[in-house]
Amino acid sequence: MEIIIQPSAEAATSVAARIIARLLRDKPNAVLGLATGSTPLSLYRELIALKLDWRKVRTFNLDEYIGISPKHPQSYHSFMWENLFRHVNVAGKNVHIPDGLAKDIPKFCDRYEKKIVAAGGIDLQVLGIGTDGHIGFNEQTSSLASRTRIKTLTPQTLKDNARFFGGEDKVPHHVITMGIGTIMEARQNLLLAFGSKKARAVAEAVEGPLTAMNPASVLQWHPNAKVFLDAASAARLKRGEYYRWVYDHKPAWQQF
Ligand code: GLP
């Protein structure tokens, strides 16, 4: 795991945006795994501003709520179109987001996995992290080998996401999410976490034991995972100074 701590979320986001921009320039038909939530918003704004060519880019989103229409303002479909896709020249047919209204959910999930494989696998996956360490909607105790499937949100996640729905009782309980096994097959994972609310989950994910009680900790086992932090989300790391030193003293050939 490479830990990149920057003074602000904006600075950390810029480094992540640079990596994605380079990938899209080097591989115009790259396959991106994308995330929702407030964390990647500024990343998407930066990518839009970079005016990259998305014509051949394929995208797969991590997750979606079950039972709400793609047109619902809080669906992850709406989120992605509103905050990224409608601002770039991505082709609608290349965008994949789980269908929260799928009639046969296991069949849909199976097909989603097959589409990722058919696309050649995910080159780069963007991840946020829940306050309890979840990635996508892989809640605590999710199997570390899990594939795309239905999950039930925990009370903590319902509470965290209530702000988007105007009340905890309005948040759907069920979701479709890529599995942890699916995420682990991405060739590269970029996890972004900002603010003091994420500090505990980040410290556990980066320096704690690899455990399904903090699903993001599985990235310790990933050969190419980068974690982008601001000062607040990095505050509980024991080796923060070391990570800063490593990043500031990267040999020129290793810089991104
Ligand atoms: C939801 C999403 C996750 C996201 C998390 C954190 O649970 N399914 O992908 O990482 O929220 O969201 P935020 O970035 O708003 O803190």
Side-chain angles (χ1 to χ4, degrees):
M1 251 195 213
E2 188 165 354
I3 318 301
I4 295 139
I5 306 171
Q6 294 289 294
S8 65
E10 292 70 35
T13 296
S14 294
V15 184
R18 221 158 52 219
I19 293 172
I20 297 172
R22 177 176 297 176
L23 172 67
L24 299 201
R25 288 187 187 116
D26 290 351
K27 186 175 179 186
N29 66 343
V31 180
L32 292 182
L34 296 174
T36 53
S38 34
T39 308
L41 279 174
S42 50
L43 175 71
Y44 297 153
R45 276 197 294 270
E46 279 221 28
L47 292 175
I48 294 163
L50 286 169
K51 300 206 179 305
L52 302 159
D53 188 0
W54 290 72
R55 244 171 336 138
K56 294 183 182 160
V57 174
R58 279 87 44 86
T59 70
F60 287 88
N61 259 79
L62 282 169
D63 45 13
E64 179 59 288
Y65 294 103
I66 288 180
I68 65 173
S69 138
K71 294 207 170 67
H72 187 288
Q74 295 309 329
S75 76
Y76 285 167
H77 276 78
S78 299
F79 177 98
M80 289 309 299
W81 281 99
E82 190 52 39
N83 294 299
L84 177 64
F85 296 144
R86 77 182 177 89
H87 306 280
V88 296
N89 63 341
V90 72
K93 67 174 173 43
N94 289 339
V95 168
H96 305 88
I97 305 174
D99 178 3
L101 293 181
K103 288 216 172 57
D104 185 336
I105 292 173
K107 199 160 147 195
F108 174 85
C109 294
D110 188 46
R111 255 188 298 155
Y112 202 68
E113 289 277 336
K114 289 195 171 109
K115 280 185 189 167
I116 294 174
V117 172
I122 292 172
D123 291 302
L124 184 152
Q125 175 69 53
V126 176
L127 296 169
I129 185 171
T131 54
D132 54 3
H134 74 248
I135 47 176
F137 269 135
N138 292 285
E139 297 283 31
Q140 290 178 320
T141 70
S142 285
S143 160
L144 300 182
S146 52
R147 313 303 308 192
T148 303
R149 70 209 183 293
I150 188 169
K151 281 296 287 182
T152 307
L153 299 182
T154 61
Q156 179 66 52
T157 303
L158 292 174
K159 202 165 132 210
D160 288 347
N161 290 357
R163 67 189 193 281
F164 300 114
F165 286 86
E168 219 171 300
D169 52 324
K170 299 199 180 73
V171 187
H173 280 247
H174 293 102
V175 295
I176 295 175
T177 181
M178 267 189 214
I180 297 179
T182 322
I183 293 168
M184 287 296 280
E185 281 172 12
R187 287 186 265 283
Q188 178 165 198
N189 268 292
L190 307 188
L191 184 145
L192 283 71
F194 307 128
S196 55
K197 271 210 286 211
K198 302 290 172 73
R200 190 176 50 86
V202 164
E204 285 172 1
V206 173
E207 295 177 338
L210 197 166
T211 168
M213 283 304 283
N214 182 312
S217 66
V218 75
L219 295 176
Q220 294 175 26
W221 197 248
H222 192 278
N224 190 354
K226 295 183 176 64
V227 178
F228 297 85
L229 305 173
D230 63 356
S233 62
R236 288 187 178 218
L237 289 170
K238 293 193 188 77
R239 300 281 175 269
E241 282 320 304
Y242 171 68
Y243 310 134
R244 284 183 170 94
W245 199 95
V246 171
Y247 183 69
D248 291 342
H249 295 82
K250 269 173 168 301
W253 58 266
Q254 221 191 26
Q255 287 169 12
F256 34 76

